[in-house]
């Protein structure tokens, strides 16, 4: 291939452009098949209806970047946002680490500690984090492992004499490095890269993650940096290396290689909890499942008597699913949140510049994990998560700006509920062992399962104070075009965010007692006593009326039935008791006036009829009628509870 | 320009227990489709939008260039191959994927020579082994009737696992070959999709003819041919 002296001056520039675009394209190819949250995004702006794993050749729209190396790829925001550094200078190597984050639960309530703790293993790339936030339920051990390390680098050397080109060897050398040749070989190399990334074991993990409703015990994250800590001999021995044939240019050599673990395929086959955020109306402890079941009493603030059962995992997921934000940020289930805890774990690699490293303070400074890029967390507009039961598909690249605004954007004024979208593990990684933080909002303190996230939210202020100035974006370590050569650390994960407005009324039992009702002892259902003798619990019921909503009424009914006078009792005594109890009956029916529409009238009539029946001579029929009246009353009370649940 | 030849590792596929059992040919189809499309994708240097395809029998995802016409052409060739396999069971069959350049010579009134210059040839060696027959008929021991079926199933699973492993090796072999040899590839034409013309030929081995076919084909490289 003869050289064109006319284009001699433009050849180096063209080669540089080819090399720069090669970095971008290679990063795009790698992250497209390793980032679970950006891979499902459709081609932005294109009328493509293809699935994330396939594309249609009928699409005629190609972005300008697609035409580089004639390879049109799916949109990958993580790649687009992490390449800025290398667009400025491709002389720094680009190292892409694909990290496998695994979680293992260990139920050990005896060893629970109310404090978070960090257990780290600094000897290797595996890091373990122990989270005992939900110490009522389990301890979690997180581990990270680099399963792939892609290295793209341009080894520069003394440029050959390109001015001549007249000599045979010179022309031959020039022909081997002409732009056309370089472009062709780069195209071939990228084709091979595209195929290779799909043959490595990590691709299977990636596909499992993006598959529907598969919430496993692992997640994939990535780091893009220009300098990383090399593997130890032991670690490298466990990995295999694949080196693509370098491309020689006039001034250097373009190299691409990968170190990968071949023994990770068993991760995806581990038993996972196929959880999907489905609506569970009859979860354990729900009134619908067992209306007469007594809810466990716990420390509850006033005004929220129905949240005692929110400490249960099922109710937590139920709650969250009911009130997931419409923007599509996934609502976590108990296991889902755990997985999202792993997903958000990559946040740990987002370090403030003062933090230095993404890991512990005693990490070697060689780990130049400085720049973090949160853009991969940006919610995708195509994200299909809905508040109603739907599987957490992890689909989309979540726009980091929106996600952060929801959860981290305003570090100073982040409401705890918003900040609770960030899993606690992220902050476990960020901070050294520290005492637990208080939730910033008392309304959330009642939710034990959310306490960890609240603490995480409170921690945001401490971690990202620098990010306050950037329009709500935590970009203190973000790579920008104006920044000095820094590393770009980014992880893809989902954003675990709690719904901002969970529906408190959903957890109100049918006999929930408001605060106003609590202040009126006469209105308490438990105060009714036809015998005139308190059931022995009226005073106690008054004290615990907040907790006993439905139970109180049922208990009152049972008590009433127990204390009901015999059929042949003195009618005068019965009349006196009825007169005294009638106001209580009427008040009891007004516990929840918003929920009970026509019920008070019915109950009153039933009470009146039953009272009238006591005055007349008792017969078997009368007794049966009285019993029927009691049964009607009971059914009405139960129905109230059911109606109130469905509203 | 030299013609680079790549002899891919031989793959052993278990044929169907009965002839014309289309469902059992899926193994052969999957293997050939995977290999041919992978090679074509590496040679589709025009603008392509890759299409990831998951194999049904194997835990492998390969890439197509997304051209429907090429996919159809490959499927037709695979059908021909399967017909050949059925006609010549227990034989080593070979598919040759050749890329060439067309060099038109001066056409005359009577002849229209079109010279093809093959610059790359890929030989896919696929050995189809006949499915072992299961026991049938009477047996004095009832368990014996069950075991052969299980043994055959286990054997099939083992063969399939081995085939998947071999297929992965072949794919990496393709990748390495494509990476190591780039100079012989012609300049990228201004075309979308598959940039270079190609042809797919099928041959089956025989005791004496197979080697001759290979030698003949290698000698024909660089000479004008009119292969269909």
């Amino acid at each position: 291939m003869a050289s064109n002296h006319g284009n001699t001056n433009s050849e180096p520039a063209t080669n540089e452009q080819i090399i720069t675009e090669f970095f971008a394209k290679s990063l795009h190819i790698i992250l497209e098949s390793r980032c679970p949250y950006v891979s499902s995004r459709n081609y932005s702006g294109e009328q493509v209806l293809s699935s994330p794993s396939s594309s249609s050749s009928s699409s005629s729209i190609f972005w300008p970047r697609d035409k580089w190396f004639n390879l049109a790829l799916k949109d990958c925001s993580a790649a687009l946002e992490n390449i800025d550094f290398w667009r400025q200078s491709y002389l720094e190597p680009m190292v892409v680490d694909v990290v496998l984050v695994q979680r293992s639960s260990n139920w050990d309530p005896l060893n629970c500690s109310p404090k978070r703790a960090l257990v780290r293993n600094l000897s290797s790339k595996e890091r373990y984090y122990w989270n005992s936030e939900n110490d009522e339920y389990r301890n979690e051990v997180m581990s990270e492992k680099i399963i792939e390390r892609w290295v793209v680098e341009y080894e520069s050397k003394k440029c050959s004499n390109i001015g001549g080109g007249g000599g045979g060897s010179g022309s031959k050398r020039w022909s081997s490095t002409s732009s056309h040749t370089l472009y062709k070989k780069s195209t071939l190399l990228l084709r091979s890269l595209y195929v290779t990334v799909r043959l490595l074991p990590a691709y299977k993990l990636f596909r499992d993650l993006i598959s529907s409703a598969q919430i496993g015990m692992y997640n994939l994250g990535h780091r893009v940096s220009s300098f990383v800590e090399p593997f130890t001999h032991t670690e490298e021995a466990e990995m295999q290396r694949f080196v693509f044939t370098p491309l020689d240019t006039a001034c250097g050599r373009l190299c691409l290689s990968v170190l990968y673990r071949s023994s990770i395929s068993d991760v995806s086959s581990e038993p996972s909890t196929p959880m999907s955020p489905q609506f569970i109306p009859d979860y354990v402890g729900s009134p619908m499942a067992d209306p007469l079941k007594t809810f466990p009493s716990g420390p509850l603030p006033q005004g929220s008597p129905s949240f005692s059962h929110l400490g249960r995992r099922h109710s937590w997921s139920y709650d969250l699913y009911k009130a997931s934000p419409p923007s599509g940020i996934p609502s976590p289930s108990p296991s889902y949140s755990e997985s999202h805890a792993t997903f958000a774990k990559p946040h740990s690699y987002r370090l403030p510049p003062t933090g230095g490293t993404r890991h512990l303070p005693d990490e070697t400074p060689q780990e130049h994990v400085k720049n973090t890029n949160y853009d991969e967390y940006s919610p995708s507009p195509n994200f299909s998560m809905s508040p109603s039961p739907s599987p957490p598909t992890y689909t989309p690249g979540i726009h980091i700006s929106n996600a952060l605004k929801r959860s981290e954007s305003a570090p100073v004024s982040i409401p705890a509920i918003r900040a609770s979208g960030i899993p606690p593990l992220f902050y476990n990684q960020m901070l050294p062992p520290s005492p637990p933080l208080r939730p910033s909002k008392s309304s959330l303190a009642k939710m034990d399962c959310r306490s960890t996230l609240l603490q995480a939210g409170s921690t945001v202020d401490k971690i990202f104070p620098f990010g306050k100035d950037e329009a709500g974006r935590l970009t203190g370590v973000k790579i920008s075009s104006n920044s000095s050569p820094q590393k770009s650390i980014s992880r893809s994960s989902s954003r675990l965010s709690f719904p901002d407005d969970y529906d408190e009324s959903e957890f109100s039992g049918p006999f929930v007692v408001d605060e106003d009702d609590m202040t009126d002892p006469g209105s308490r259902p438990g105060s009714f006593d036809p015998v005139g003798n308190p059931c022995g619990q009226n005073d106690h019921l008054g004290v615990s009326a907040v907790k006993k909503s439905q139970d109180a009424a049922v208990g009152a009914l049972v008590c009433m039935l127990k204390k009901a006078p015999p059929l042949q009792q003195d009618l005068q005594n019965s009349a006196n008791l009825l007169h005294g109890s009638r106001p209580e009956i009427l008040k009891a029916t007004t516990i929840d006036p918003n929920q009970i529409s026509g019920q008070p009238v019915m109950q009153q009539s039933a009470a009146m009829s039953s009272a009238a029946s006591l005055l007349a001579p008792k017969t078997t029929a009368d007794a049966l009628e009285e019993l029927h009246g009691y049964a009607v009353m009971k059914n009405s009370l139960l129905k109230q509870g059911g109606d109130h649940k469905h509203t | 320009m030299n013609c680079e030849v790549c002899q891919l590792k031989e793959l052993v596929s278990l044929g169907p227990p009965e002839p014309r059992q289309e469902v059992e040919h899926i193994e052969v189809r999957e293997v050939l489709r995977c290999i041919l499309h992978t090679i074509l994708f590496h040679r589709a240097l025009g603008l392509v939008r890759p299409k990831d395809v998951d194999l049904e029998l194997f835990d492998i995802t390969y890439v197509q260039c997304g051209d429907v016409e090429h996919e159809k052409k490959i499927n037709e060739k695979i059908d021909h191959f399967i017909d050949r396999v059925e006609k010549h069971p227990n034989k080593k069959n070979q598919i040759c994927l050749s890329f060439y350049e067309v060099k038109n010579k001066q056409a005359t009134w009577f002849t229209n020579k079109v010279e093809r210059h093959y610059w790359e040839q890929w030989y896919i060696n696929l050995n189809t082994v006949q499915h072992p027959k299961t026991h049938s008929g009477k047996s004095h021991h009832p368990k014996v009737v069950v075991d052969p079926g299980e043994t055959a199933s286990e054997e099939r699973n083992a063969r399939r696992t081995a085939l998947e492993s071999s297929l992965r090796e072949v794919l990496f072999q393709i990748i390495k070959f494509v990476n190591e040899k780039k100079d012989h590839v012609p300049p990228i034409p201004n075309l979308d999709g598959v940039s270079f013309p190609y042809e797919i030929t099928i041959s089956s081995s025989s005791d004496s003819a197979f080697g001759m076919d290979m030698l003949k084909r290698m000698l024909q490289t660089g000479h004008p041919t009119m292969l269909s």
Side-chain angles (χ1 to χ4, degrees):
Chain A
M1 183 180 297
S3 61
N4 188 349
H5 294 279
N7 296 331
T8 302
N9 294 331
S10 63
E11 286 287 348
T14 305
N15 287 351
E16 289 182 4
Q17 190 177 13
I18 291 173
I19 295 170
T20 301
E21 293 297 330
F22 180 88
F23 272 76
K25 204 74 170 184
S26 60
L27 181 65
H28 195 156
I29 292 172
I30 294 169
L31 294 185
E32 180 200 33
S33 62
R34 296 293 185 268
C35 294
Y37 304 105
V38 297
S39 63
S40 60
R41 290 182 63 182
N42 291 332
Y43 293 85
S44 57
E46 299 179 10
Q47 47 186 9
V48 177
L49 301 178
S50 59
S51 62
S53 61
S54 66
S55 60
S56 171
S57 61
S58 61
S59 300
S60 59
I61 300 176
F62 292 94
W63 294 97
R65 61 173 180 267
D66 293 337
K67 298 191 176 181
W68 272 102
F69 310 104
N70 291 329
L71 193 61
L73 303 175
K74 291 182 277 288
D75 197 6
C76 181
S77 59
L80 296 176
E81 294 153 1
N82 284 280
I83 199 57
D84 292 344
F85 172 68
W86 287 275
R87 285 195 179 277
Q88 298 180 44
S89 171
Y90 52 79
L91 297 179
E92 293 285 338
M94 182 175 70
V95 182
V96 183
D97 284 341
V98 180
V99 183
L100 174 65
V101 182
Q102 286 181 284
R103 178 187 61 84
S104 62
S105 295
N106 182 21
W107 288 85
D108 190 7
L110 297 180
N111 294 328
C112 291
S113 170
K115 300 182 179 181
R116 284 178 296 171
L118 287 172
V119 176
R120 313 182 197 92
N121 180 9
L122 302 177
S123 61
S124 67
K125 292 296 180 296
E126 297 185 357
R127 291 166 181 81
Y128 299 90
Y129 302 91
W130 178 52
N131 175 27
S132 62
E133 288 298 342
N134 299 331
D135 51 4
E136 293 183 11
Y137 306 102
R138 65 187 181 280
N139 296 328
E140 294 181 343
V141 177
M142 299 293 300
S143 66
E144 293 183 358
K145 184 182 298 184
I146 298 176
I147 58 176
E148 283 183 357
R149 173 165 287 177
W150 298 85
V151 179
V152 184
E153 60 180 338
Y154 181 74
E155 300 173 351
S156 62
K157 58 184 178 181
K158 186 177 181 181
C159 293
S160 61
N161 184 11
I162 62 176
S169 61
S171 61
K172 181 179 181 180
R173 182 178 182 82
W174 177 247
S175 65
S176 67
T177 58
S178 65
S179 298
H180 293 286
T181 303
L182 178 60
Y183 185 76
K184 179 189 74 175
K185 294 183 177 180
S186 300
T187 303
L188 290 169
L189 179 54
L190 290 173
R191 294 284 197 277
S192 297
L193 176 62
Y194 191 93
V195 173
T196 304
V197 294
R198 281 152 179 78
L199 294 178
L200 296 181
Y203 185 71
K204 185 178 185 305
L205 300 180
F206 164 76
R207 291 297 299 272
D208 290 341
L209 280 176
I210 65 174
S211 61
S212 60
Q214 186 67 19
I215 303 174
M217 304 285 285
Y218 66 93
N219 185 22
L220 283 180
H222 66 276
R223 286 195 299 268
V224 184
S225 59
S226 63
F227 191 89
V228 293
E229 184 180 348
F231 291 119
T232 61
H233 289 292
T234 304
E235 293 170 337
E236 198 160 340
E238 299 174 353
M239 307 181 81
Q240 297 183 15
R241 181 185 295 273
F242 186 85
V243 180
F244 295 84
T245 303
L247 301 180
D248 290 321
T249 65
C251 298
R253 168 182 288 193
L254 190 56
C255 304
L256 174 61
S257 64
V258 58
L259 268 173
Y260 66 95
R261 291 180 183 269
S262 57
S263 60
I264 60 175
S265 57
D266 56 344
V267 172
S268 61
S269 62
E270 289 178 357
S272 61
T273 304
M275 280 295 297
S276 59
Q278 298 177 355
F279 182 83
I280 306 174
D282 56 347
Y283 59 91
V284 175
S286 69
M288 293 180 62
D290 190 357
L292 300 181
K293 183 176 180 180
T294 303
F295 287 101
S297 61
L300 292 174
Q302 293 184 356
S304 57
S306 60
F307 290 123
S308 59
H309 59 284
L310 289 178
R312 303 177 188 223
R313 295 177 61 195
H314 292 282
S315 57
W316 180 36
S317 63
Y318 168 78
D319 173 32
L320 295 173
Y321 293 144
K322 286 289 293 183
S324 59
S327 65
I329 295 179
S331 302
S333 66
S335 58
Y336 183 87
S337 63
E338 295 161 5
S339 61
H340 274 266
T342 64
F343 286 5
K345 204 178 194 307
H347 272 284
S348 66
Y349 297 101
R350 299 179 170 181
L351 294 176
T354 56
T357 65
R358 60 179 168 82
H359 302 296
L360 311 169
D362 51 351
E363 278 281 343
T364 58
Q366 294 177 355
E367 192 80 42
H368 294 291
V369 180
K370 291 183 179 178
N371 291 323
T372 63
N373 198 322
Y374 307 102
D375 291 343
E376 65 273 13
Y377 294 88
S378 303
S380 165
N382 297 322
F383 190 63
S384 59
M385 182 60 68
S386 62
S388 60
S390 62
T393 57
Y394 309 132
T395 40
I398 303 175
H399 284 293
I400 186 59
S401 58
N402 294 335
L404 288 177
K405 288 176 182 175
R406 187 174 298 275
S407 60
E408 291 182 321
S409 58
V412 176
S413 61
I414 291 178
I417 187 172
R418 292 178 180 272
S420 62
I422 302 174
L425 291 173
F426 168 50
Y427 298 98
N428 287 338
Q429 300 172 34
M430 296 298 298
L431 300 176
S434 61
L437 301 176
R438 300 295 180 183
S440 58
K441 277 194 174 180
S442 60
S443 61
L444 294 172
K446 57 197 173 188
M447 300 174 67
D448 297 334
C449 292
R450 292 189 180 188
S451 61
T452 61
L453 300 176
L454 295 175
Q455 295 179 13
S458 306
T459 313
V460 172
D461 299 342
K462 296 184 180 181
I463 295 177
F464 304 104
F466 57 89
K468 304 175 186 179
D469 298 331
E470 299 203 44
R473 291 191 62 174
L474 295 174
T475 57
V477 291
K478 178 181 182 300
I479 291 180
S480 63
S481 58
N482 298 325
S483 63
S484 59
Q486 292 178 350
K487 286 77 183 176
S488 167
I489 304 301
S490 60
R491 297 290 290 273
S492 62
S493 72
S494 66
R495 300 295 298 173
L496 179 65
S497 66
F498 276 86
D500 297 338
D501 50 348
Y502 53 86
D503 187 4
E504 296 186 10
S505 62
E506 292 299 330
F507 298 93
S508 299
F511 302 104
V512 63
V513 179
D514 297 335
E515 290 185 0
D516 294 337
D517 296 334
M518 289 170 59
T519 58
D520 184 8
S523 65
R524 290 174 299 192
S527 62
F528 170 69
D529 187 0
V531 187
N533 183 19
C535 299
Q537 301 176 3
N538 283 348
D539 295 337
H540 298 285
L541 288 175
V543 173
S544 62
V546 175
K547 304 176 187 177
K548 300 181 180 179
S549 56
Q550 184 182 14
D551 295 338
V554 173
L557 178 62
V558 171
C559 182
M560 180 177 67
L561 292 173
K562 288 181 179 178
K563 300 295 180 179
L567 297 178
Q568 298 300 327
Q569 192 177 7
D570 185 5
L571 298 178
Q572 185 62 35
N573 293 332
S574 300
N576 294 333
L577 290 171
L578 285 174
H579 283 300
S581 64
R582 187 174 303 176
E584 280 70 21
I585 293 176
L586 295 178
K587 289 181 180 179
T589 59
T590 59
I591 288 174
D592 198 353
N594 295 327
Q595 300 300 331
I596 304 173
S597 55
Q599 296 300 325
V601 176
M602 186 184 75
Q603 290 182 357
Q604 290 182 17
S605 61
M608 293 295 294
S609 62
S610 63
S613 65
L614 292 176
L615 298 176
K618 298 288 185 181
T619 62
T620 303
D622 295 337
L624 290 176
E625 185 180 359
E626 183 178 351
L627 180 62
H628 178 70
Y630 287 128
V632 168
M633 189 184 304
K634 172 187 173 183
N635 291 334
S636 66
L637 293 173
L638 291 176
K639 186 178 180 182
Q640 291 174 18
D643 293 341
H644 176 73
K645 192 62 179 175
H646 283 101
T647 54
Chain B
M1 186 176 294
N2 296 330
C3 175
E4 297 290 345
V5 178
C6 180
Q7 287 282 348
L8 296 177
K9 178 184 175 183
E10 183 182 68
L11 301 171
V12 179
S13 173
L14 196 61
E18 297 294 335
R20 293 292 177 182
Q21 275 196 355
E22 193 60 31
V23 66
E24 296 293 339
H25 290 298
I26 188 173
E27 196 173 89
V28 175
R29 289 183 185 277
E30 294 237 296
V31 168
L32 291 179
R33 202 175 286 140
C34 176
I35 295 175
L36 290 172
H37 278 287
T38 299
I39 297 173
L40 271 184
F41 176 71
H42 281 95
R43 294 295 177 248
L45 302 185
L47 183 57
V48 297
R49 192 184 299 276
K51 178 181 177 183
D52 301 338
V53 179
D54 301 327
L55 293 178
E56 297 180 13
L57 300 180
F58 311 107
D59 191 14
I60 294 175
T61 299
Y62 71 94
V63 185
Q64 295 183 5
C65 60
D67 193 321
V68 179
E69 292 185 3
H70 291 287
E71 185 177 358
K72 182 180 178 182
K73 182 177 179 180
I74 288 176
N75 290 336
E76 291 176 355
K77 288 296 180 180
I78 292 176
D79 291 337
H80 296 161
F81 180 84
I82 291 176
D83 292 338
R84 178 75 68 95
V85 168
E86 290 178 349
K87 292 177 182 177
H88 307 280
N90 288 329
K91 279 189 176 180
K92 295 185 179 181
N93 299 285
Q94 191 178 65
I95 289 183
C96 179
L97 174 57
S98 304
F99 294 94
Y100 59 89
E101 285 183 296
V102 177
K103 294 182 178 180
N104 295 323
K105 282 195 171 181
Q106 186 176 4
T108 63
W109 283 103
F110 304 100
T111 59
N112 187 15
K113 285 190 175 180
V114 177
E115 181 178 346
R116 289 184 177 182
H117 176 75
Y118 293 86
W119 52 270
E120 189 175 84
Q121 290 178 324
W122 299 81
Y123 290 95
I124 304 169
N125 301 292
L126 187 59
N127 184 13
T128 307
V129 177
Q130 190 67 25
H131 194 282
K133 295 182 179 179
T134 57
H135 287 277
S136 61
K138 298 181 181 179
S139 174
H140 295 286
H141 303 280
K143 291 184 179 180
V144 178
V145 176
V146 178
D147 287 339
E150 292 180 351
T151 303
S153 176
E154 293 175 357
E155 183 182 359
R156 172 171 286 275
N157 292 335
R159 285 179 178 270
R160 185 158 292 174
T161 303
L163 179 58
E164 179 175 345
S165 178
S166 298
L167 181 57
R168 285 186 178 273
E169 293 183 22
V170 167
L171 295 178
F172 274 102
Q173 189 180 359
I174 295 172
I175 293 171
K176 289 179 182 177
F177 182 87
V178 169
N179 273 268
E180 291 173 357
K181 300 182 186 297
K182 297 189 181 75
D183 294 331
H184 68 287
V185 180
I188 302 176
N190 189 19
L191 296 173
D192 290 345
V194 179
S195 312
F196 311 106
Y198 65 95
E199 67 176 9
I200 300 175
T201 55
I202 302 170
S203 63
S204 59
S205 65
S206 61
D207 294 337
S208 59
F210 183 70
M212 291 302 297
D213 287 341
M214 284 188 61
L215 182 61
K216 187 184 300 182
R217 193 172 298 277
M218 292 176 67
L219 291 176
Q220 286 177 348
T221 302
H223 295 274
T225 57
M226 291 295 291
L227 297 176
S228 61

